[in-house]
Amino acid sequence: MELSATAKVILGMLAMGPRSGYEIKSFADHSTRYFWTASYGQIYPELRRLADAGLIEGTDEPTGARQRTVYRLTKAGRHELGKWHELPPEVFEYRDEWMLKLFFAGAVDPERAAEIARGRAELSRVTADELREVESRAEGNDPASYTVLRFGIDFNEFIADWFERQAAALGEGVPLEKLEKRAERV
Amino acid sequence: MELSATAKVILGMLAMGPRSGYEIKSFADHSTRYFWTASYGQIYPELRRLADAGLIEGTDEPTGARQRTVYRLTKAGRHELGKWHELPPEVFEYRDEWMLKLFFAGAVDPERAAEIARGRAELSRVTADELREVESRAEGNDPASYTVLRFGIDFNEFIADWFERQAAALGEGVPLEKLEKRAERV
DNA sequence: TTCGCCATGTAATGTGTTACATGATTGT
DNA sequence: ACAATCATGTAACACATTACATGGCGAA
């Protein structure tokens, strides 16, 4: 059975414990979203498909009159998740508009190159800060998921440092002190 | 005017010089594909749309009886490209199945974590080698596009080194970072 | 003559986001 | 009473890949 992108994240999260669709989404927004997103428009229909296929099962657990369905893995679901997990990963997608603009800068507007590099550095600096926030709130992480988080932090810091150096090298009319201040923040 | 993802790469490449759809595709396959892909199914329809909108114009330049249409930017196209280039970049997408599997390894199969980390390292090592190949064939790169290439190499090497270290640590059941922090505290 | 490359294009299918729509509960 | 959050779901639209389909050219 072929699992959709959203099925993979749903099954994985249910392996960590029973959850509602809403909880899957909000957990994803604080964890996997940096490398694997999921939207309601995908989650709810997929939850239904997975239940129809017998990989998960939902039980009604309302809060007062507020409807709520909590899903958990079935034996078949756990088996399917295990089969997927054993397979060599295949999906790797990276699309970065900063890189595209920088790539064309020479033919479009060479003066802009350093500015783009600085912007890219800043983006990764902000992302690293967000991830450090996630890290400070995380409790009892197992080694593997902590590794993923740590990778996010280190790799974004690497990118930020790298492009700050390049922005200086690509040389433009930004006062040096501004670059230096940014470098000090590391 | 809103440019589609494919319009951006087409316009940028035509700014470097006139090209056929086929040439745009093969150039993209050797340059932007690492951060911005384009397929024939998008390129040819988009070429028609851009020509209809007056941003590019095509002239018939067949090779013998083999049909061939070479496109170049119009004044309006160059203007539109410039407007896009000035805007702060917005698209950043990163989807990595290795990270997803590693993230769930604790709940699915902890023994597999080190293996996934090693696989991820290997993937980036191979990509870095491919990019070094591209670098050796590249001639007369302008500083900005060379920066993009160099970034690809350095960042993939960083990832490969990082995950090789982690694979060793995960093999022992503890991520490196945690060991280091523990050592610092003592 | 066959293979690899040049060259253009369409159709089916899949994937995913965004906006919309509805309504309950909790804390201030 | 209001805002934030909990909670579920659909419809329209956009985007992209893959497979398919066609055919010429040049070299071994």
Side-chain angles (χ1 to χ4, degrees):
Chain A
M1 187 188 190
E2 273 303 297
L3 301 178
S4 72
T6 305
K8 291 167 188 175
V9 74
I10 289 175
L11 259 22
M13 285 191 172
L14 295 185
M16 292 173 161
R19 278 165 172 73
S20 67
Y22 183 85
E23 287 166 337
I24 289 170
K25 167 67 171 159
S26 67
F27 185 33
D29 283 347
H30 294 93
S31 57
T32 66
R33 90 166 153 99
Y34 295 95
F35 53 87
W36 203 273
T37 59
S39 61
Y40 288 127
Q42 294 287 105
I43 289 170
Y44 286 111
E46 189 64 37
L47 245 13
R48 177 145 306 174
R49 279 190 290 271
L50 290 170
D52 289 348
L55 302 186
I56 63 177
E57 79 189 339
T59 52
D60 267 23
E61 298 184 21
T63 317
R66 190 206 276 154
Q67 132 178 240
R68 180 157 174 270
T69 308
V70 173
Y71 294 90
R72 66 202 74 231
L73 284 182
T74 62
K75 209 166 278 182
R78 193 168 287 278
H79 179 71
E80 206 60 42
L81 176 62
K83 268 172 43 188
W84 165 72
H85 200 259
E86 277 175 24
L87 259 34
E90 286 178 352
V91 179
F92 176 79
E93 289 159 29
Y94 168 56
R95 173 167 282 202
D96 189 335
E97 198 173 11
W98 275 262
M99 291 308 100
L100 193 68
K101 289 190 178 180
L102 190 51
F103 186 77
F104 293 135
V108 179
D109 183 359
E111 312 265 302
R112 201 149 223 104
E115 192 181 332
I116 297 167
R118 263 187 292 111
R120 187 62 186 79
E122 184 58 23
L123 172 69
S124 269
R125 197 68 80 193
V126 167
T127 305
D129 289 344
E130 282 174 23
L131 289 169
R132 243 184 259 98
E133 261 298 297
V134 173
E135 189 189 23
S136 71
R137 270 193 304 273
E139 83 300 294
N141 268 319
D142 76 284
S145 71
Y146 182 71
T147 297
V148 173
L149 176 56
R150 199 61 231 176
F151 171 66
I153 296 168
D154 290 352
F155 135 100
N156 277 289
E157 292 291 10
F158 172 82
I159 293 174
D161 292 345
W162 199 94
F163 277 105
E164 268 165 20
R165 268 182 275 120
Q166 287 304 316
L170 285 166
E172 55 108 55
V174 165
L176 246 186
E177 39 162 341
K178 238 184 187 174
L179 288 170
E180 281 164 358
K181 268 184 189 166
R182 221 164 251 148
E184 275 165 28
R185 270 185 16 201
V186 180
Chain B
M1 186 190 188
E2 272 304 297
L3 300 178
S4 71
T6 304
K8 291 166 188 175
V9 73
I10 289 174
L11 259 23
M13 286 192 171
L14 295 185
M16 292 173 162
R19 278 166 172 73
S20 67
Y22 183 85
E23 287 166 336
I24 288 169
K25 167 66 172 160
S26 67
F27 185 34
D29 283 347
H30 294 93
S31 57
T32 66
R33 88 163 155 104
Y34 295 95
F35 53 88
W36 202 272
T37 59
S39 61
Y40 287 128
Q42 293 287 107
I43 290 170
Y44 287 111
E46 189 63 39
L47 245 14
R48 176 144 310 173
R49 279 191 290 270
L50 291 170
D52 289 348
L55 302 188
I56 63 177
E57 78 188 340
T59 54
D60 268 21
E61 298 184 22
T63 318
R66 190 205 278 153
Q67 130 179 241
R68 180 158 175 270
T69 309
V70 172
Y71 295 89
R72 67 202 74 232
L73 285 182
T74 62
K75 208 168 277 182
R78 191 169 290 276
H79 178 72
E80 206 60 43
L81 176 62
K83 267 173 44 188
W84 164 72
H85 200 259
E86 276 175 22
L87 259 36
E90 287 178 350
V91 179
F92 176 80
E93 289 158 28
Y94 167 57
R95 174 167 281 202
D96 188 336
E97 197 173 11
W98 274 262
M99 293 306 100
L100 193 68
K101 289 190 179 182
L102 190 51
F103 186 78
F104 293 135
V108 179
D109 183 358
E111 312 266 303
R112 200 149 223 106
E115 193 181 332
I116 296 167
R118 259 183 286 116
R120 187 63 187 77
E122 183 58 21
L123 172 69
S124 269
R125 200 66 82 190
V126 167
T127 304
D129 289 345
E130 281 174 23
L131 290 170
R132 243 183 259 100
E133 261 299 297
V134 173
E135 189 188 24
S136 71
R137 270 194 303 273
E139 83 297 299
N141 268 320
D142 75 286
S145 71
Y146 182 71
T147 297
V148 173
L149 176 57
R150 198 61 232 178
F151 171 66
I153 295 169
D154 290 352
F155 135 100
N156 277 289
E157 292 290 9
F158 173 83
I159 294 174
D161 292 345
W162 198 94
F163 277 106
E164 267 163 22
R165 267 182 278 121
Q166 289 302 320
L170 284 168
E172 295 157 23
V174 187
L176 250 191
E177 234 15 85
K178 263 194 178 157
L179 285 171
E180 283 167 3
K181 274 194 180 163
R182 212 167 286 154
E184 278 163 25
R185 255 181 255 130
V186 178

